[in-house]
Amino acid sequence: MSSTTLRELSGLDQAPAALAGATLVLVDYQNTYTTGVLELDGWRAALDAAADLLARARAAGAAVIHVVNDGGEGTPYDIRAEIGAIHPSVAPLEGEPVVVKQAPDAFHGTDLAEQLDAAGRKDVVIAGFMTHMCVAFTAAGAFLRGNRPTVVADACATRPLASAAGEGLTADQLHRAALATIGDLYAVVVPTADELG
């Protein structure tokens, strides 16, 4: 089994971001994923890790941007209702922008790119829900626009999915596969915030 990544073959920097010189982008830490039909496996541990990451980022002077998905009224992503609200443990402070998206890539149809540019930092630290969906697509979006993303694995979580190829995937299998895909090209992936410079 090959362990050489496309990042390595392309000569891309393998060092994770340092929080003091980065923008932290927290993706979809909404109540959507803590209860009901979209409750994620391992959400509590991931949310605790995200709260720790956020505290570290604020202490280090990182810029912080929150992202939420708005699926509209009556959906599990209704940001006008409690179900779509950002979980209190990672709630924005005054002055921390909240970007509202409607696609897995948080750059699509939003002002996230402008917010990042205004922060003036090339390094972006990304964590959120769900690993295989909005975290992966937002990391790819950051990479493709020229930012240098780092994804914090233990602050992400997902859910099990059926597979057209046969046996379904557990949440852990899908989480690890998504992180491997992200780490192959789009971002440096670190296990925990302890690995950030």
Side-chain angles (χ1 to χ4, degrees), residues 4 36 40 51 64 76 85 139 157 164 179:
T4 303
L40 305 184
V64 177
L179 292 170

Short mmCIF file of all heavy atoms in Angstrom, two decimals, residues 4 36 40 51 64 76 85 139 157 164 179:
data_model
loop_
_atom_site.label_atom_id
_atom_site.label_comp_id
_atom_site.label_asym_id
_atom_site.label_seq_id
_atom_site.Cartn_x
_atom_site.Cartn_y
_atom_site.Cartn_z
N THR A 4 2.61 7.48 -0.17
CA THR A 4 2.99 8.75 -0.77
C THR A 4 1.75 9.52 -1.19
O THR A 4 0.89 9.00 -1.90
CB THR A 4 3.90 8.53 -1.99
OG1 THR A 4 5.03 7.77 -1.59
CG2 THR A 4 4.36 9.85 -2.57
N GLY A 36 -31.64 14.07 16.62
CA GLY A 36 -32.55 13.85 15.50
C GLY A 36 -31.96 13.03 14.37
O GLY A 36 -30.99 12.30 14.53
N LEU A 40 -24.76 12.83 14.56
CA LEU A 40 -23.51 12.20 14.14
C LEU A 40 -22.95 11.27 15.20
O LEU A 40 -23.08 11.54 16.40
CB LEU A 40 -22.46 13.27 13.83
CG LEU A 40 -22.84 14.35 12.82
CD1 LEU A 40 -21.65 15.26 12.56
CD2 LEU A 40 -23.33 13.73 11.51
N ALA A 51 -14.34 22.98 20.82
CA ALA A 51 -14.35 24.03 21.84
C ALA A 51 -12.94 24.32 22.34
O ALA A 51 -12.56 25.48 22.53
CB ALA A 51 -15.27 23.63 23.00
N VAL A 64 -11.14 34.29 13.64
CA VAL A 64 -12.12 33.20 13.75
C VAL A 64 -13.32 33.52 12.88
O VAL A 64 -13.88 34.62 12.96
CB VAL A 64 -12.57 32.99 15.21
CG1 VAL A 64 -13.64 31.89 15.29
CG2 VAL A 64 -11.39 32.64 16.11
N PRO A 76 -33.79 20.42 8.90
CA PRO A 76 -32.86 20.28 10.02
C PRO A 76 -31.76 21.36 10.02
O PRO A 76 -31.00 21.46 10.97
CB PRO A 76 -32.26 18.89 9.82
CG PRO A 76 -33.23 18.17 8.95
CD PRO A 76 -33.84 19.21 8.08
N ALA A 85 -29.21 26.28 14.99
CA ALA A 85 -28.31 27.22 15.67
C ALA A 85 -26.94 26.60 15.90
O ALA A 85 -26.80 25.38 16.00
CB ALA A 85 -28.93 27.64 17.00
N ALA A 139 -12.27 22.45 2.68
CA ALA A 139 -10.80 22.33 2.60
C ALA A 139 -10.35 22.39 1.15
O ALA A 139 -9.37 23.07 0.81
CB ALA A 139 -10.34 21.03 3.25
N ALA A 157 -16.53 15.13 12.73
CA ALA A 157 -17.29 13.89 12.87
C ALA A 157 -18.24 13.75 11.69
O ALA A 157 -18.52 14.72 10.99
CB ALA A 157 -18.07 13.87 14.18
N ALA A 164 -23.44 2.26 -2.66
CA ALA A 164 -23.93 1.59 -3.86
C ALA A 164 -23.01 0.44 -4.26
O ALA A 164 -23.40 -0.44 -5.02
CB ALA A 164 -24.03 2.59 -5.02
N LEU A 179 -10.75 11.99 5.72
CA LEU A 179 -9.49 12.62 6.14
C LEU A 179 -8.33 12.20 5.24
O LEU A 179 -7.46 13.02 4.92
CB LEU A 179 -9.19 12.28 7.59
CG LEU A 179 -10.13 12.90 8.62
CD1 LEU A 179 -9.88 12.30 10.00
CD2 LEU A 179 -10.00 14.42 8.66
#
